[in-house]
Amino acid sequence: MIRTTLLAFCLGLAGPVFAQGDAAPEPASRLSRAVAETVNRQPAIPRPEQDATAAEKLAAFEARAGQKPNILIFIVDDMGYGDPGAFGGGEMIGAATPEMDALAAEGLKLTSTYSQYTCTPTRASVYTGRLPFRTGLIRPILAGDKIKVNPWEGELTVAGLLSEVGYHTLLTGKWHIGEEEGMRPHDVGFDEFYGFYKAQKEYTQDVYEMRFPDLALDADKLERYRSIGSNNDLIYGLADGTTQTIETIDSVEKMAEADVQLKDYTVKRIRELSEGDQPFYISHSFMKVHADNFAATAFKGASASKFPYRDNMVEVDSHIGEIVDVLEEVGALDNTFIFVTSDNGPQMDSWPDSGYTPFRGAKGTTWEGGVRVPGIAYWKGMIAPGRVSDGLFDLMDLFDTSLALGGVETSNLPDDRYWDGIDQTSFLLADDGESKREHVYNWLGGTLAAIRMREYKAHLHVALAQEKFLWIDMAAVVPTGLAPWLFNLYVDPKEEYPVGHRLNAWTASLGAELKAHAATFAKFPPKDLGL
């Protein structure tokens, strides 16, 4: 359940909980430009002119290409907002990222892209278009976890829906949303999977003697840990149930080379798929740069920094460039929508084996440092080069946007659940496109923690690190008291000093928006996995 006090607070602000068969609700406040089309979809800002422009561009593209576009999404694990050069890092922090920088310069740089607070919730939201609290996937499913129900039961995925309309759907790399049968990528809609069920650290901690000596060097604990039975393999899977082990990861050296193998596989499949007439949807999900970082042989010392994390940023950037080059080589670059992002902010707990963000907080929090991530949209000939926008883009929007590009009508999706994503196709494709998203809701597990609306961000709960950088391992989550902590991100992007009601007229409006959001959970109850 949502925290009882929070739900009571939000529902008590005024206004009814939806009833079965209700018409779409009115905007919750006068601040909102968003309009709800149905009771079970996130309200969006109407942009009819740019919608028409984007539809014309897509129709012209399909007439020219003779097919729907390919979709390629790069998800870098734990990359900070400030890691790519285009977002303030790169050479400045000792790890040049020319490939990502080029895509940003030649496409659309999104400076207000939002993830969830950690990896599993983000990935689940990208693939389902639903907030993690709705699906129950509020945190990673770890070795030894016992969950009540399969979170994927009854869920629809972007991969499965696109596969039904003729796409070949492939996930290369990290999954981290379940490894039991019925929860694997090739069980829930992906035609093909080549990758790993878990995060990088989970493959090496039992053999990494320097960091985990009390596990790796203690025979009793090691035996007990390994008896949990978590999968330690590079897996190849198909939708027909085929599941094969390619390699068992039993050393840091093997883990160090994993992203090279993943890149090679994506390159191979792009070459093969380009010879057919099926469009493809590929989620290339890097294992790096999640701690613990070990540099691949070819990239050891490749960064000016020489630190493993920075070497791995150089590697990730290089792989993105190589995959994009292959698209051009096979004549598919003009036909492919590309998006580059991270699943959350940097994991500062592992510093200096961690990324960089200019914002307050880090992975595991709903401060900007935890949920504001790089966003780059590139499509040669379709997205005008050199665009920069601060319009809101939630990574859940990739669900609806991908379906729209693939010709799947989202209005036909089941109406027995709430859909949180927004189709941002026209924002991305119209030369002067603006975001259709008015709200970003930040959740900490089962706690509704904050809302961003326009340049305002109001916190109901905050994570407070009790020691430098320890935003996960030594932090307390506390309610903010009588009034939300309200920040104006245009004048205070680091969230250092609240403007509050003394300097801002919209405190009550933001409260009403939170109430309206909470009401959707009363009508469409969330799953409880026992996490």
Side-chain angles (χ1 to χ4, degrees):
M1 295 179 61
I2 300 177
R3 304 290 187 218
T4 304
T5 54
L6 172 62
L7 183 57
F9 165 75
C10 288
L11 296 183
L13 288 173
V17 175
F18 305 129
Q20 187 68 33
D22 279 353
E26 294 296 316
S29 75
R30 296 302 295 271
L31 180 62
S32 179
R33 299 162 293 179
V35 175
E37 294 183 357
T38 67
V39 73
N40 71 320
R41 295 201 68 88
Q42 176 63 28
I45 304 171
R47 308 279 192 195
E49 291 185 7
Q50 72 182 37
D51 287 348
T53 298
E56 290 175 6
K57 289 183 79 169
L58 277 176
F61 164 80
E62 291 179 26
R64 181 173 68 252
Q67 67 170 50
K68 297 290 184 181
N70 303 315
I71 301 166
L72 173 59
I73 299 173
F74 291 107
I75 302 177
V76 185
D77 202 359
D78 287 5
M79 177 173 68
Y81 182 95
D83 279 330
F87 291 81
E91 291 184 352
M92 188 271 285
I93 57 173
T97 55
E99 305 297 341
M100 282 186 271
D101 298 349
L103 292 176
E106 296 165 13
L108 169 58
K109 181 170 75 170
L110 298 163
T111 62
S112 286
T113 301
Y114 284 88
S115 68
Q116 303 300 314
Y117 75 114
T118 189
C119 44
T120 291
T122 293
R123 294 164 197 274
S125 70
V126 168
Y127 300 136
T128 66
R130 284 160 40 81
L131 278 165
F133 189 55
R134 299 193 194 280
T135 62
L137 290 161
I138 58 176
R139 68 159 176 81
I141 299 173
L142 303 173
D145 275 339
K146 302 297 182 184
I147 57 177
K148 297 178 181 179
V149 295
N150 178 359
W152 291 104
E153 186 175 349
E155 293 293 337
L156 298 175
T157 65
V158 61
L161 291 165
L162 287 174
S163 180
E164 289 178 1
V165 296
Y167 274 74
H168 183 84
T169 58
L170 163 66
L171 189 146
T172 309
K174 179 180 174 180
W175 175 238
H176 217 203
I177 324 179
E179 61 182 74
E180 299 298 326
E181 188 171 350
M183 294 188 286
R184 305 167 302 185
H186 48 298
D187 297 328
V188 301
F190 282 94
D191 296 315
E192 186 178 2
F193 171 59
Y194 185 90
F196 300 91
Y197 294 139
K198 304 181 296 187
Q200 184 162 260
K201 170 182 176 291
E202 295 172 77
Y203 290 89
T204 58
Q205 56 193 8
D206 63 339
V207 293
Y208 189 14
E209 296 177 2
M210 186 175 74
R211 184 178 286 274
F212 303 98
D214 56 331
L215 173 60
L217 300 177
D218 186 315
D220 177 65
K221 290 177 186 171
L222 188 61
E223 180 182 1
R224 293 175 184 277
Y225 176 79
R226 289 177 173 170
S227 71
I228 294 171
S230 183
N231 188 288
N232 256 38
D233 302 329
L234 171 60
I235 297 292
Y236 172 68
L238 295 174
D240 65 6
T242 298
T243 306
Q244 300 173 355
T245 294
I246 303 301
E247 179 182 37
T248 297
I249 304 301
D250 53 14
S251 70
V252 296
E253 290 78 17
K254 286 184 178 179
M255 194 73 253
E257 303 298 329
D259 274 301
V260 176
Q261 293 173 275
L262 298 174
K263 177 266 299 179
D264 288 345
Y265 192 79
T266 292
V267 165
K268 170 179 174 289
R269 292 300 286 134
I270 286 175
R271 291 188 190 279
E272 294 168 347
L273 291 166
S274 68
E275 296 177 358
D277 56 5
Q278 267 188 298
F280 58 74
Y281 171 94
I282 298 176
S283 177
H284 186 96
S285 302
F286 291 92
M287 299 302 288
K288 294 171 177 173
V289 283
H290 191 295
D292 298 308
N293 279 283
F294 307 98
T297 301
F299 292 92
K300 196 167 188 176
S303 70
S305 161
K306 309 305 178 189
F307 278 72
Y309 182 96
R310 302 286 190 251
D311 287 350
N312 287 355
M313 275 300 304
V314 170
E315 178 187 352
V316 163
D317 186 70
S318 174
H319 293 336
I320 289 174
E322 188 171 341
I323 292 169
V324 172
D325 287 346
V326 168
L327 286 170
E328 187 161 35
E329 177 189 324
V330 300
L333 186 59
D334 293 5
N335 299 350
T336 305
F337 167 70
I338 298 172
F339 199 91
V340 183
T341 192
S342 175
D343 61 346
N344 44 246
Q347 182 175 296
M348 295 307 297
D349 289 65
S350 56
W351 187 91
D353 189 16
S354 61
Y356 169 67
T357 179
F359 304 119
R360 183 176 185 175
K363 175 184 178 179
T365 79
T366 53
W367 295 108
E368 293 290 279
V371 294
R372 195 166 176 177
V373 295
I376 300 170
Y378 173 88
W379 188 354
K380 186 177 180 181
M382 293 290 284
I383 294 178
R387 289 177 61 200
V388 179
S389 176
D390 191 50
L392 298 184
F393 191 98
D394 193 301
L395 291 181
M396 281 186 298
D397 298 342
L398 289 171
F399 176 88
D400 294 74
T401 304
S402 296
L403 292 181
L405 293 176
V408 177
E409 181 54 65
T410 55
S411 63
N412 293 331
L413 295 177
D415 61 5
D416 62 349
R417 67 201 68 180
Y418 198 89
W419 302 94
D420 298 284
I422 289 174
D423 175 13
Q424 296 271 34
T425 303
S426 66
F427 174 30
L428 304 178
L429 296 190
D431 291 351
D432 57 353
E434 296 181 84
S435 175
K436 298 177 74 171
R437 177 168 285 280
E438 185 76 287
H439 317 83
V440 171
Y441 301 102
N442 304 132
W443 285 76
L444 272 171
T447 299
L448 177 55
I451 180 177
R452 176 167 176 188
M453 189 172 177
R454 305 196 188 207
E455 68 266 40
Y456 307 124
K457 187 169 179 184
H459 292 263
L460 293 176
H461 290 79
V462 293
L464 300 178
Q466 306 301 295
E467 188 58 74
K468 185 72 172 179
F469 295 149
L470 298 185
W471 292 99
I472 298 174
D473 287 343
M474 195 176 175
V477 176
V478 299
T480 53
L482 180 62
W485 290 7
L486 174 57
F487 299 90
N488 183 323
L489 297 178
Y490 281 171
V491 298
D492 183 19
K494 294 185 179 182
E495 299 173 286
E496 294 179 306
Y497 199 76
V499 293
H501 74 287
R502 69 193 186 284
L503 293 173
N504 190 282
W506 300 108
T507 303
S509 295
L510 293 167
E513 299 291 343
L514 286 163
K515 181 277 303 180
H517 179 60
T520 68
F521 290 87
K523 179 173 176 59
F524 301 99
K527 295 179 184 177
D528 179 9
L529 307 188
L531 292 177

